[in-house]
Amino acid sequence: MLLAGSASAQFTSLTSTGDGSRLYFSSPLRLRGTTQTFDAKIFRIDDQGPALFAAQERGERFGWTWTQFYDLTLPQVSRDGTGVIAYTGVRDCLGGSGCLNVQRAQGTVVDAAGAVRLRGIGYVNLSRNGRYALFFGRNTWAGLVPPAELADLGTGEHITLNYRIAPNAARRVADEGTVALVDPAGVRLWTRNREQVIPVTPAASMPGQEPLLLLASDAMRFVYQSAAGLARFDRMRGTEEIVTPGAPVSVSISDDAGTIAFVNKEDGQIHVGIPARVLTREPGGFSEVALSGDGRVAFGVTNRGRLVRIEVASGTVTELVPRTPWITNPALPGVATYLED
């Protein structure tokens, strides 16, 4: 049971284990009977139902911001589901130009019980095997921190990357530590031993926003938004294929990028595969989709506030959270909407 209390979307940043048995997501909602904050939190859903995984109070006002990074978003889970989870905490800053030297985001890596393994300034991406954490989207004012940093959770090594990655990047680090970057010459694949630039051009959906670029866990494929549409590049074959023309609302890949799912902008439905087929017939459509690592399960957030699980082979839909209204004016004290299981 969840209680609505934010103008934000009910569920965002879906991420699943390899077999689809466990789902993590971000939401400002709170469980019925609790006094949890209405800032974004990380929830988990498995066969035991929904549970709060991580939450953070704002702390004290500190200059133009707060002492804590309180809006928790962008969870990622290792494919085994029992090893490593990462998420990013974001805090607001109300000082205008005074915020130029304020770090807005902090990445956290924890174990399955929520115990902190590593924290770093900036947003964080996690490799699907849970070994590497990439920190980026930092405020590098006065050169106090490098633009990006790759942490090897196995050895404890930290490697500075002198490349800038904007905050909305996802799936940028592979299992062996390859990092995918958008370069003026194309897609740059960085490893500690060599760098390769593939002359394809990811397109940003908005000026100043990081272009969509999703790297497979073995780094042999990547999916990106090109001028011709959503595309997949296969490094072994040296070939590019168009998944769908236009720019989808939401895109997700299986671990090997063999399966691609997206929310079609035209009909609002989830499509899957190459050539793409329509997977859903949801009234009102979807806002987000996420695939399990093996590509057999899709999770979707509907525009009417439902969270569902979909079997990719059959199209069978299972409701995880029913239709969920939310408050559009959280300034009204004492107003809330209860949700029934």
Side-chain angles (χ1 to χ4, degrees):
M1 298 179 186
L2 294 173
L3 172 68
S6 172
S8 304
Q10 301 99 314
F11 317 110
T12 62
S13 307
L14 311 184
T15 182
S16 171
T17 53
D19 62 0
S21 62
R22 184 171 291 180
L23 177 73
Y24 291 81
F25 61 91
S26 175
S27 177
L29 308 184
R30 67 186 187 187
L31 295 170
R32 181 191 288 272
T34 71
T35 57
Q36 296 160 359
T37 171
F38 280 130
D39 293 319
K41 302 167 288 297
I42 306 300
F43 290 91
R44 179 185 66 221
I45 290 183
D46 53 22
D47 56 6
Q48 302 299 310
L52 178 69
F53 182 76
Q56 179 62 61
E57 298 291 338
R58 294 191 177 211
E60 303 297 325
R61 281 295 298 268
F62 180 72
W64 293 288
T65 186
W66 283 262
T67 55
Q68 302 299 323
F69 299 84
Y70 52 84
D71 261 320
L72 305 188
T73 186
L74 303 172
Q76 297 139 78
V77 58
S78 58
R79 69 172 59 89
D80 62 9
T82 61
V84 181
I85 298 94
Y87 55 84
T88 298
V90 180
R91 60 184 178 182
D92 203 358
C93 187
L94 308 176
S97 61
C99 295
L100 292 176
N101 62 345
V102 173
Q103 296 292 350
R104 298 284 298 277
Q106 179 187 72
T108 300
V109 180
V110 301
D111 62 22
V116 175
R117 294 186 57 180
L118 178 66
R119 278 200 171 108
I121 291 298
Y123 292 74
V124 62
N125 275 189
L126 181 71
S127 63
R128 287 295 286 162
N129 62 355
R131 175 164 179 174
Y132 291 95
L134 175 68
F135 295 89
F136 58 91
R138 296 166 156 180
N139 185 342
T140 58
W141 182 81
L144 298 178
V145 293
E149 189 175 10
L150 182 67
D152 186 332
L153 301 176
T155 65
E157 181 183 14
H158 287 242
I159 303 169
T160 294
L161 301 180
N162 288 312
Y163 296 102
R164 295 187 181 276
I165 307 171
N168 59 299
R171 291 293 296 265
R172 291 299 185 88
V173 58
D175 285 353
E176 85 296 349
T178 297
V179 177
L181 303 153
V182 177
D183 186 274
V187 171
R188 180 179 295 272
L189 298 176
W190 176 97
T191 67
R192 65 180 68 216
N193 298 318
R194 65 187 292 264
E195 297 184 45
Q196 177 187 11
V197 176
I198 299 173
V200 298
T201 305
S205 58
M206 296 179 62
Q209 190 174 56
E210 186 74 14
L212 174 74
L213 176 59
L214 307 175
L215 185 64
S217 59
D218 62 1
M220 297 313 298
R221 292 169 170 164
F222 57 84
V223 172
Y224 64 102
Q225 186 67 44
S226 73
L230 184 68
R232 179 174 67 185
F233 189 89
D234 189 308
R235 295 176 63 199
M236 288 287 288
R237 299 177 180 178
T239 57
E240 175 191 83
E241 54 190 334
I242 299 300
V243 180
T244 185
V249 174
S250 173
V251 181
S252 182
I253 63 174
S254 60
D255 283 356
D256 64 358
T259 303
I260 301 169
F262 60 92
V263 177
N264 185 281
K265 189 175 183 178
E266 301 304 319
D267 63 13
Q269 300 303 315
I270 295 173
H271 295 230
V272 65
I274 305 177
R277 63 180 173 89
V278 181
L279 182 62
T280 61
R281 301 288 183 186
E282 175 71 22
F286 288 84
S287 62
E288 185 173 340
V289 64
L291 281 173
S292 60
D294 59 17
R296 296 180 179 179
V297 180
F299 296 91
V301 179
T302 77
N303 288 322
R304 295 182 177 179
R306 300 170 67 224
L307 180 59
V308 299
R309 172 190 170 103
I310 309 156
E311 301 297 329
V312 170
S314 65
T316 301
V317 176
T318 302
E319 187 175 75
L320 299 178
V321 180
R323 186 171 180 177
T324 308
W326 73 100
I327 294 173
T328 56
N329 186 359
L332 294 176
V335 179
T337 303
Y338 284 99
L339 310 176
E340 300 296 338
D341 289 336

